Each structure stands twice: as C-alpha cells, then as structure tokens.
Amino acid sequence: MIEIRLEDTAFEQDIRPLVRAFFSIEEMKVTVCNFEEPENVIVSPSDCILSVHNTEFVIDMWFKDDKKRNIRKKFVYDEVEEDRRLYKNELKKVLYHILKEYTGNELPWGTLTGIRPTKIACDYIEEGRTEDEVRRFYHEQYLCGEEKTELSIEIAKKENLLLKEMDYKNGYSIYIGIPFCPTTCLYCSFTSYPIGTYKKKVGEYLKALFKEIDFATTILPHKKLTTVYIGGGTPTALSAEELEMLLEYINLKLPMASVKEFTVEAGRPDSITRDKLKVMKRLGVKRMSINPQTMSDKTLKFIGRMHDSESVRRAFVMAREEGMEDINMDLIVGLPGETVKDTEYTLSEIKKLNPDDLTVHALAIKRAAALKLKLNELSDMIPTDTALQQRLTYEFARENGYEPYYLYRQKNIADNLENVGYARSGKEGLYNILIMEEKHPIIGLGAGSSCKFVFREGNRIERTENVKFVMDYIERIDEMIERKKKFLEEFGEML
C-alpha cells in the first residue's frame, strides 16, 4: 500500500499519476493532513508514505522495506505565487528524482503524465518557437527522454501542417456515439451495451439521436462543419437498414458539403457485412476502422472478441472490394498472455492486408473495465515486455511507409507508454488530431458523448456531458439538448 499525504489537494491530480507511473500495480490512497498536528505523522501500516508539505516546499518519502529508508528533498522556488504551472513542475521534478532514486527506474516521458504530451510541442511550434527551444523545454521542465521528445516534435510538425490545410479555427466537428457492441471486451471501459440485449431499443435510441442531430444543425452558424466521426461502441452493430437510416439522416440534416472527413468506426469485424459496406460507400463514408487488436485467435477468445483472425481478413478484403479506400486498423500491445512472438505474428498478418493507417495502443487497465476486476487472478498473464512489443510496432510502421501523426496517453497505461496513430501520406485521421490537440469545438451527440467547446482565444475549454445509459438518454433527450442550448446562448459567439 502506498499512502500519499498532502497538506491540500491542489496538486493531487499531478502527484497521484506520477507515483502511479512508478508503482503501477500497487494499491494507493490519498489523505489530507495538517502536518503541524503530531498525530498526523505517526507511522502507518502502509509500505510507503509520501508526504508533500506545500508550505515548507519539502517532500518526504518513507519506505517500509529492509532498510526502512527515508528520503527528504527540499525545493525552493521564488516565483511560486506568480506562476502555478512552474511551481507544479518543480514539485513534480523533485518527486520524480525521489522515486527514481528509490526504484532505480526512469520514465520515458519524465514527469509528463497528461494524456496530450504532444500538445505542448504543437502549440509551441505553431507560435514560431524553434525545435531546439521545444527540445529544451521538454528536457528541462519535464525531464522527458530524448526519444519521446523527438517523437513529440515530429508529430507536432505533422499535425500543424495538416491543421493549416483544414482551416480549423473556422470549423467544428461532430461526434456521434452508437453505444452498442456485439459483446463487451475484457479491457473496454467505453459506453457500450450488448446489441443482443438492446436490439428492441435501437429504434427508440435512433429517434432520440435524430432529435439531437436536428438541434446540431442550428449550432455555430458562423463556422463550417469539418469532420464527422461515428464511434461507440460499434456503429456497425446496427443492422444495415438501421445504419442506412442513420447515414441518410446525417446527410439530409447536417451541412456535409464542407466536410473533409466522414468516418465510421466499424471496429468489430464480426459486425461488418457487405450490405453495411455498400450503405457506407453510397452515403459518403470515406474512412473506416476494422480493429483486430491482435491476430492471435487464442487472445481474441480470451478477451471476449468472439471472432477469429480469419474474420478480420474477410472483413478487410470485403471492405476493399466495396471501394473503401481509407481503412484504419487498431492494435493493442500488452494484452494478457501476449508475447513478443504474438506481436511479430500480428504484424506479419497486418502487413499482408496493407491498411492505410495503423493505431497502436498500449494496454490501459481502466477502472470500469472487467479486466480491472480480474487483475489479481490475471496478474501472471500481464506481459512484462510491453515496451519491446511496442518497439516492434514502431519499427514495423517505419519500415512499411507509415508515419506517426497523433499520439495520446491514458491512465494506468502499460509501462508508462503511449498510443500512436501512424498513417501513409494523405491518409491521416483529421478528427483524431482535432480531438487530441483541442483546436476547435467538438459537438458530441448520443449516449455517453460530450461536447468540448474550445473558445476562440484558445486558452479556455468547457464541456457539456450527455448521460451514459441508453434508457436515460432516450428519456432525457430534451434535457441533453437543453444543456447545449443554454451553453451556446451564453457563449456561442465566443467560440
């Protein structure tokens, strides 16, 4: 057990993930203490106690191991009152050195624990800073390793080039959530419900969704719709007829003439049929995903995919036959029981299919996923060589003409790694860049979706959330619309 004692919770969301990055599978609790009171510094049964004294600028760490070590480091920062961000960085750097000293480990991303580490480089390069300035900032402020720094700069340069071409400042995007799947995967924490159980509710769900789409036609009249992304869940869990209704309604209601990218995340190959592909092609879908995650049949069965690798091959070939010219495939490294040989095999099979882009995820064990509940009994199956597996995907991408173009991280991600999107030139997923770099408003429609309103000056982001449960969404659709309406009435002209 690791116990984190804080004088206040102002920096809890910065301290907790950094400690977690060093002690990924340890239990952890956070308490708020007044260190002036003696009873708050008594020895507890915790194996490790981390105490952060904000007012004294001291970090104490006590380890209940054979040596019963105590490490204390002070940090003095004259500009504390003037710049909260710089204070936070100094605190995290001292904490990093303590944890590094104790564990003997270094983190490839240094003190960077947020989900958008490339956003810093993207913003700085857009401001006109040199690559050396960006490099220095990553190294000095975040102790970021050279490899991850260079990857961030490369991706930021690619993103900025693509952003300029799409005039993102005068646009917005729409995300449409379809919260149904054939089955729920072991690692999944997204808003997703088994289509078999909810089949009779799909019609009601679409009726509510169409009402929200109607409202979306009235928003941000001073901006152009740039991308439309249908995700989930698995949108192709819908029948061909239901999918046709949805796509026709989108084309009828939304201002699609300005759209540069229309994506459907088919995801599960066991949900893809020729009829659905024909509907997608006819109604303007330009980009789709077919996501195997792995090509190991043993692993696919274990994680609850309920399809085999041959289904992936059939779905991919069928999509090409029906004219889909931009197909992404998702992979996950670090799945339970997977070895380096499994990753090598998966990549060899992906090479034969030759997708246009490839997104590689490092397994993240989410609190809401079934995998989290089974973690103790499956601990022996969690790979210890995830970093090597990911290295193989990086080399594969480079060798086969794919370049990295977006990147993000997740909480509890394996080996403190990252998720990277690779693409052939001209096949980059524009929505992925826009959502990650937070460059313009994203309007979320459907159960479990959220709107991300990016203000014109660029330094303020506000969100409005939709409820997650299908029946709540159906019954409360007017409330979901009213939330957005009130926000836009107050702030619409500032977006």
Side-chain angles (χ1 to χ4, degrees), residues 180 198-210 470-471 473-475 477:
F180 307 111
Y198 283 84
K199 190 64 181 173
K200 293 182 180 179
K201 298 297 180 182
V202 172
E204 292 179 62
Y205 180 81
L206 290 178
K207 183 178 179 181
L209 180 61
F210 291 171
V470 171
M471 293 311 300
Y473 176 78
I474 292 169
E475 294 167 4
I477 185 60

Side-chain angles (χ1 to χ4, degrees), residues 205-260:
Y205 180 81
L206 290 178
K207 183 178 179 181
L209 180 61
F210 291 171
K211 194 171 186 178
E212 200 174 19
I213 291 173
D214 288 343
F215 167 73
T217 64
T218 67
I219 63 174
L220 304 177
H222 56 294
K223 291 181 178 289
K224 291 184 177 181
L225 181 58
T226 305
T227 68
V228 175
Y229 190 102
I230 306 178
T234 305
T236 44
L238 301 178
S239 68
E241 293 74 21
E242 291 161 344
L243 183 63
E244 183 175 34
M245 285 172 56
L246 173 61
L247 297 181
E248 283 183 340
Y249 205 82
I250 289 169
N251 278 287
L252 177 66
K253 294 291 184 173
L254 296 178
M256 299 296 286
S258 60
V259 169
K260 295 181 179 295

Side-chain angles (χ1 to χ4, degrees), residues 434-461:
L434 292 164
I435 190 72
M436 281 302 134
E437 300 307 332
E438 300 179 317
K439 291 297 187 181
H440 77 185
I442 307 285
I443 308 302
L445 312 176
S449 69
S450 64
C451 292
K452 184 183 292 185
F453 294 108
V454 180
F455 283 67
R456 195 177 296 126
E457 67 271 16
N459 59 3
R460 179 182 172 190
I461 296 171

Side-chain angles (χ1 to χ4, degrees), residues 181-182 195 234-240 243 264-281 287-292 305-308 310-322 324 326-330:
C181 267
I195 188 67
T234 305
T236 44
L238 301 178
S239 68
L243 183 63
V264 171
E265 189 173 356
R268 292 280 292 264
D270 47 336
S271 71
I272 299 171
T273 67
R274 195 172 292 278
D275 286 346
K276 294 176 189 178
L277 290 165
K278 288 181 183 293
V279 166
M280 288 161 58
K281 179 66 177 177
R287 187 174 183 272
M288 68 177 293
S289 291
I290 300 174
N291 302 331
R305 294 286 282 186
M306 310 309 279
H307 66 80
D308 58 15
E310 187 56 35
S311 299
V312 178
R313 298 182 188 94
R314 284 198 301 269
F316 190 93
V317 170
M318 191 161 51
R320 287 292 197 219
E321 289 174 349
E322 294 302 326
M324 301 306 296
D326 191 348
I327 304 176
N328 170 74
M329 302 190 88
D330 278 11

Side-chain angles (χ1 to χ4, degrees), residues 127-139:
E127 290 172 9
R129 309 234 191 157
T130 67
E131 289 183 31
D132 282 342
E133 287 178 307
V134 176
R135 237 175 240 115
R136 198 156 48 244
F137 194 80
Y138 271 76
H139 293 325

Side-chain angles (χ1 to χ4, degrees), residues 283-416:
L283 293 173
V285 175
K286 300 295 184 184
R287 187 174 183 272
M288 68 177 293
S289 291
I290 300 174
N291 302 331
Q293 315 303 6
T294 175
M295 294 295 275
S296 163
D297 288 339
K298 180 180 178 181
T299 305
L300 287 169
K301 183 177 180 180
F302 182 79
I303 61 177
R305 294 286 282 186
M306 310 309 279
H307 66 80
D308 58 15
S309 57
E310 187 56 35
S311 299
V312 178
R313 298 182 188 94
R314 284 198 301 269
F316 190 93
V317 170
M318 191 161 51
R320 287 292 197 219
E321 289 174 349
E322 294 302 326
M324 301 306 296
E325 298 176 356
D326 191 348
I327 304 176
N328 170 74
M329 302 190 88
D330 278 11
L331 302 179
I332 299 177
V333 296
L335 288 168
E338 288 266 279
T339 66
V340 169
K341 286 188 176 180
D342 290 317
T343 302
E344 290 174 338
Y345 175 73
T346 292
L347 292 174
S348 69
E349 293 301 298
I350 295 298
K351 184 173 182 176
K352 295 174 186 176
L353 296 174
N354 196 29
D356 304 284
D357 34 301
L358 190 67
T359 306
V360 180
H361 303 264
L363 180 67
I365 301 174
K366 297 296 190 68
R367 183 175 56 185
L371 178 58
K372 176 68 174 177
L373 301 176
K374 296 184 177 182
L375 191 57
N376 288 337
E377 61 186 88
L378 298 178
S379 59
D380 291 343
M381 296 183 65
I382 302 299
T384 58
D385 52 6
T386 304
L388 178 54
Q389 293 180 34
Q390 190 181 61
R391 166 62 60 181
L392 291 174
T393 67
Y394 177 84
E395 293 171 353
F396 171 86
R398 297 288 191 182
E399 291 167 3
N400 289 276
Y402 301 97
E403 294 182 355
Y405 76 95
Y406 90 109
L407 178 155
Y408 69 103
R409 305 178 70 212
Q410 294 170 280
K411 292 181 180 178
N412 302 329
I413 196 166
D415 289 353
N416 197 39

